[in-house]
Amino acid sequence: MAAEPLTSPKIVGKARPRVDGPLKVTGRAMYSSDHHFPGMLYAVPVSATIANGKIEKIDTATAEKMPGVRAIYHQGNIGKLFRVSVSFGDLSMIDETRPPFEDDVIRYYGQYVALAVADTFEQAGAAADAVKVTYRREEPNVERELGVERLAGVRKKGGSKPEHLESPKVQSERGDPEPAFEKAAVTLDATYLLPAETHNPIELHATVAVWDGTGFTLYDTTQAVVNARNVLAQMLGVPKENMRVISKFLGSGFGGKLWPWTHCALAAAAARQLNLPVKLVINRRSMFQCVGHRPLIQQRVRLSATQEGKLTSLRHEYVNHTSMLDDYEESCGEGTPHMYSVPNLRVTSALARRNVGTPTSMRGPGAVPGLYATESAMNELADLLKMDPVQLRLANEPEIDEGTKLPFSSRHLRECLTTGAEKFGWARRTPAVGSMKQDGLTLGWGMASCTWIAKRFGCTARVELRDDGTAAVSTATQDIGTGTYTVLAQITAEKLQIPVEKIEVILGDSNLPEGPVSGGSMATASVIPAVMAAAGKAAESLLGVAAKAPGSPFAGSKPDGLAFQDGKVQAKGGGEGVPFGEILKKAKMRGVSGQGSSDGNFLDPKPQFSSHSFGAHFVEVTWQPETVRLRINRVLTVIDAGRIVNPLAGRNQIEGAVVMGVGMTLFEQTQYEHGTGAPINSNLADYIMAVNADVPKLDVIFLDYPDLHLNEFGARGIGEIGLAGISAAITSAIHHATGFRARKLPVTIEDLLGAPAQA
């Protein structure tokens, strides 16, 4: 059922500075590792120096005698930890829900094998270095070739398992792609490779664990306080009510902090054994080993079309590497079935096991790498057809989601494409490679479409009206740097019609009413219905107080004869309103509250609509072949993501995603050394990311069509869609300028040195 629209919002939809900004710029915002308690100890893990094999012996004798050392924990003395039984909402990435130190098998380089705990961080680090571990080493497998070509022929029914590939399956299918491809006038068969990428937020993963004798309080770097509570309570063997997880501020996560990791359980277990608070902050090297990454992905795309550009078939096959324990699937084909109209389609996936840590969600999991392949293939097909790539996409715009046979709740991709083309000046593009010049440089223009799922999780929220004329809204979600504090303040202020400055937002504590994870670009859409319901109930309670409280100017009235409007109580027939704070003071009450809940639809087995956001990127690069100097000069992105609650924060999200896409396309890759299996560029000097000098001129346009399928404001998420498709647009522009066709990322100087001669 679609939400009842809120007409003419006064606060939602307006640009608003971050309400938590002053805390951050003055240093008063407390991040997880900022917490300190009397008697606190420090923990440093001991990491495996092989990627495949077994532990034969751990010698802790020297380390245990060092100054300040309280304990060296390992498989023999860590205490009882339990495997986790998970369902959606209780997700874990701790080695397939296994507790740390469960066995003596080493499955990836850097795997934790022991934990040193001492009075100071320096003492703990020295003790960790002194632990001697003897291994029986076996050859690791970190091979980049994943064998996507072996997926050809996999069907829903029948067919044998491709050699060396795990869990092959058809994700979506319609029609019969093979004969359509064979008969087509124009065909494309291309394979695309994306390297492993590593999340590198400024804030390192950290846990400060406090044990009070019966339960835990964990100050943790998490994008999901409720999920972390649920998972860690199971692993540590305590009731959920005896586990509290707090994450008031996060120095970003990009998906890497969605789930609990091994260090969380280790810090808590040590705190319980020693009965003292324990702080564990992992180092930058371990960020590349033990807390996830976007996996290495190989994709094969086969397209066929008529001479007029109508698609006749699409096959999208992909393989991603995963760890030896976990079946992590990147879901690269999530957007493929609904993106374009094509009668014959098959999306197939498989896993390839490697001696690496478990991959995990990284900003835009699935759609970001998937659209790099399919949108690149569309651009290549346009070149084969000698057709404008914008026109090719417009010619294959679907009427419905052909994968689910459902209508779209809202889809304005066509307008994204036409608006973007007009604002960018696309009509001036000449298609020949190297044919556009400006100021002595060669220009390259490229574009791509993008999409991202639009769903919501379940949520409960509480709103309190206070006697000082302020209000508070609380829910156990968290602000990961995207502006959730500000968005909740705007939503609550809109419903109550009081200034944003009078709203206190309370987040990041699992003891609050249960809220959603901050992932999938779903937090905003998820909290809106619950907060609106809670604010409405708080207002109802206030009207009841106004009608009954002695001394109230409305005493003796019926509550249904009163109205709450612009922060005041007044008679429905009119008359002067009284601020709600005064009503509460007359009633001698500190406040009234209301609680509201809303269901999620993320796993709805019978959805009524196909709900997604859409967009289009247009990119200009400059190319100077004499010096092999390539620069991304400007990017225009048009986004259709429902109503934008805060355009200032929204634009920031898209800009940040585009810059991350620059890094993905030109710089980022985690490199594993074949002999040891170690990530060898595991630092911020050798893992290259985009910096200020690489950032182009950015322009963001929001179409702002409310999609009332999800909530009263018609808002959808925007955290990830800006990264989807941008790499395909950039590589298309690179080809237009240089003639080099990028089918693997990142594009390097060595690639461009071999670029064809210019037109």
Side-chain angles (χ1 to χ4, degrees):
M1 183 72 69
E4 188 70 25
L6 199 76
T7 58
S8 303
K10 299 176 182 177
I11 299 170
V12 166
K14 305 297 187 295
R16 185 92 197 176
R18 304 285 181 98
V19 299
D20 54 325
L23 290 174
K24 291 182 175 179
V25 300
T26 59
R28 290 179 292 152
M30 291 283 287
Y31 293 82
S32 295
S33 63
D34 291 335
H35 291 276
H36 188 86
F37 298 95
M40 190 170 73
L41 306 176
Y42 295 81
V44 173
V46 179
S47 300
T49 55
I50 67 170
N52 187 19
K54 286 192 174 183
I55 300 170
E56 291 189 333
K57 181 182 178 182
I58 297 180
D59 182 355
T60 64
T62 300
E64 288 171 337
K65 297 174 184 176
M66 295 176 71
V69 173
R70 298 297 187 99
I72 307 293
Y73 292 111
H74 46 77
Q75 184 184 355
N77 65 356
I78 189 62
K80 189 66 174 176
L81 297 172
F82 300 89
R83 290 195 180 194
V84 178
S85 173
V86 299
S87 59
F88 184 80
D90 293 339
L91 300 176
S92 173
M93 286 294 171
I94 311 179
D95 289 344
E96 201 184 31
T97 73
R98 298 168 185 247
F101 307 162
E102 186 181 55
D103 58 31
D104 59 0
V105 179
I106 303 301
R107 299 173 176 88
Y108 60 92
Y109 191 97
Q111 178 181 323
Y112 297 147
V113 297
L115 184 75
V117 185
D119 293 339
T120 70
F121 172 72
E122 292 78 10
Q123 290 169 334
D129 291 340
V131 174
K132 304 301 180 186
V133 185
T134 305
Y135 302 98
R136 186 170 75 247
R137 182 184 180 279
E138 298 178 21
E139 193 69 22
N141 180 0
V142 289
E143 176 60 49
R144 284 169 61 92
E145 173 56 49
L146 300 182
V148 71
E149 70 283 348
R150 293 197 293 272
L151 278 181
V154 173
R155 299 287 191 278
K156 282 183 178 177
K157 297 179 181 179
S160 59
K161 173 182 173 181
E163 186 181 6
H164 305 307
L165 294 181
E166 297 280 340
S167 310
K169 54 189 172 184
V170 173
Q171 302 284 358
S172 182
E173 188 173 33
R174 59 180 181 263
D176 196 351
E178 284 85 358
F181 185 87
E182 295 300 325
K183 296 174 185 176
V186 181
T187 61
L188 173 76
D189 185 344
T191 299
Y192 302 90
L193 180 69
L194 292 97
E197 292 180 82
T198 298
H199 317 69
N200 269 295
I202 294 297
E203 181 194 32
L204 299 164
H205 285 251
T207 300
V208 176
V210 180
W211 168 255
D212 66 4
T214 58
F216 294 94
T217 299
L218 302 184
Y219 300 85
D220 194 65
T221 50
T222 177
Q223 296 175 230
V225 291
V226 173
N227 178 75
R229 177 201 66 189
N230 295 348
V231 170
L232 291 167
Q234 290 187 63
M235 185 160 284
L236 291 154
V238 299
K240 277 199 305 186
E241 56 268 25
N242 289 11
M243 175 66 70
R244 183 183 184 187
V245 177
I246 296 172
S247 182
K248 293 293 185 180
F249 295 96
L250 202 73
S252 198
F254 306 122
K257 296 173 182 173
L258 273 170
W259 323 122
W261 294 95
T262 310
H263 67 274
C264 307
L266 287 177
R272 179 165 57 185
Q273 293 234 30
L274 295 167
N275 200 29
L276 286 169
V278 171
K279 177 184 290 189
L280 197 167
V281 182
I282 74 171
N283 60 27
R284 184 61 63 178
R285 183 178 297 275
S286 290
M287 296 283 286
F288 287 80
Q289 299 167 350
C290 304
V291 287
H293 58 276
R294 195 195 302 280
L296 175 72
I297 306 165
Q298 193 176 33
Q299 302 178 76
R300 183 182 183 187
V301 180
R302 283 175 281 185
L303 287 173
S304 65
T306 66
Q307 288 287 6
E308 295 72 33
K310 292 292 292 182
L311 294 175
T312 61
S313 74
L314 191 167
R315 277 175 286 177
H316 184 190
E317 297 156 349
Y318 62 93
V319 180
N320 66 262
H321 83 198
T322 190
S323 68
M324 292 298 176
L325 281 174
D326 291 281
D327 294 336
Y328 176 80
E329 184 180 307
E330 182 66 15
S331 299
C332 295
E334 188 275 326
T336 308
H338 71 260
M339 197 64 185
Y340 300 112
S341 178
V342 54
N344 304 289
L345 174 143
R346 185 179 304 118
V347 179
T348 313
S349 69
L351 306 176
R353 297 204 179 276
R354 296 291 184 265
N355 289 112
V356 297
T358 296
T360 193
S361 301
M362 185 172 178
R363 194 173 192 172
V368 165
L371 285 169
Y372 162 65
T374 56
E375 287 296 298
S376 293
M378 287 290 284
N379 286 332
E380 292 195 44
L381 181 65
D383 288 346
L384 291 174
L385 289 163
K386 294 182 171 33
M387 186 175 184
D388 184 278
V390 173
Q391 293 304 314
L392 176 62
R393 288 164 171 83
L394 292 172
N396 291 282
E397 177 71 4
E399 295 296 325
I400 63 168
D401 180 338
E402 295 178 355
T404 62
K405 305 295 189 264
L406 293 172
F408 291 105
S409 61
S410 177
R411 178 180 171 118
H412 299 276
L413 177 57
R414 180 181 295 275
E415 188 173 342
C416 291
L417 292 165
T418 56
T419 299
E422 177 188 355
K423 299 293 185 183
F424 191 80
W426 189 257
R428 300 195 306 272
R429 178 181 183 266
T430 56
V433 168
S435 62
M436 297 180 68
K437 309 288 183 180
Q438 180 178 293
D439 300 329
L441 301 173
T442 302
L443 298 183
W445 284 11
M447 60 78 54
S449 299
C450 58
T451 186
W452 185 256
I453 192 171
K455 297 281 189 178
R456 76 181 193 211
F457 300 117
C459 180
T460 301
R462 181 181 299 115
V463 170
E464 181 185 15
L465 298 170
R466 297 164 169 168
D467 66 346
D468 62 359
T470 66
V473 54
S474 57
T475 182
T477 190
Q478 48 287 307
D479 191 329
I480 63 172
T482 52
T484 305
Y485 277 108
T486 309
V487 165
L488 261 69
Q490 288 181 269
I491 293 165
T492 309
E494 184 73 63
K495 178 66 174 179
L496 299 175
Q497 287 298 293
I498 64 176
V500 169
E501 292 77 13
K502 291 192 174 184
I503 306 293
E504 180 187 9
V505 182
I506 305 168
L507 304 175
D509 187 336
S510 64
N511 279 3
L512 297 171
E514 290 200 7
V517 304
S518 294
S521 300
M522 298 183 198
T524 296
S526 301
V527 299
I528 287 173
V531 171
M532 294 290 280
K537 290 182 179 179
E540 287 179 16
S541 296
L542 179 73
L543 297 181
V545 170
K548 296 178 182 177
S552 165
F554 304 102
S557 302
K558 292 185 177 180
D560 58 9
L562 302 176
F564 185 85
Q565 189 171 348
D566 296 329
K568 299 178 180 180
V569 176
Q570 62 184 48
K572 282 186 176 178
E576 186 175 352
V578 179
F580 69 84
E582 292 185 19
I583 297 290
L584 291 169
K585 286 178 180 177
K586 290 182 181 297
K588 295 182 172 52
M589 296 179 66
R590 292 288 301 273
V592 293
S593 65
Q595 185 159 298
S597 297
S598 59
D599 295 329
N601 65 357
F602 185 68
L603 295 179
D604 187 352
K606 294 181 179 180
Q608 294 179 308
F609 298 98
S610 174
S611 189
H612 303 267
S613 292
F614 297 92
H617 303 285
F618 292 81
V619 173
E620 176 182 274
V621 303
T622 60
W623 168 238
Q624 189 174 31
E626 297 85 355
T627 58
V628 200
R629 183 180 177 87
L630 179 84
R631 288 290 183 267
I632 301 174
N633 193 46
R634 64 186 177 108
V635 176
L636 169 71
T637 297
V638 184
I639 297 294
D640 164 38
R643 173 174 276 136
I644 307 303
V645 176
N646 186 343
L648 183 62
R651 179 186 175 92
N652 176 252
Q653 283 294 294
I654 302 301
E655 289 174 337
V658 168
V659 173
M660 199 167 175
V662 172
M664 175 182 176
T665 311
L666 299 182
F667 306 118
E668 293 194 44
Q669 58 176 323
T670 304
Q671 298 171 309
Y672 294 90
E673 200 276 320
H674 280 261
T676 64
I680 56 175
N681 60 333
S682 53
N683 57 77
L684 296 188
D686 298 321
Y687 185 87
I688 310 300
M689 294 179 285
V691 297
N692 288 353
D694 304 302
V695 176
K697 177 184 177 183
L698 301 172
D699 195 4
V700 179
I701 298 172
F702 291 115
L703 296 186
D704 212 33
Y705 288 104
D707 182 357
L708 299 173
H709 171 59
L710 288 177
N711 51 67
E712 295 90 329
F713 295 121
R716 301 196 296 256
I718 54 174
E720 287 155 297
I721 189 171
L723 185 54
I726 186 65
S727 287
I730 295 172
T731 55
S732 174
I734 291 172
H735 175 260
H736 185 225
T738 71
F740 173 71
R741 181 76 73 185
R743 288 182 175 173
K744 69 175 180 65
L745 298 182
V747 179
T748 65
I749 291 176
E750 290 78 8
D751 293 327
L752 297 176
L753 280 169
Q758 300 302 294

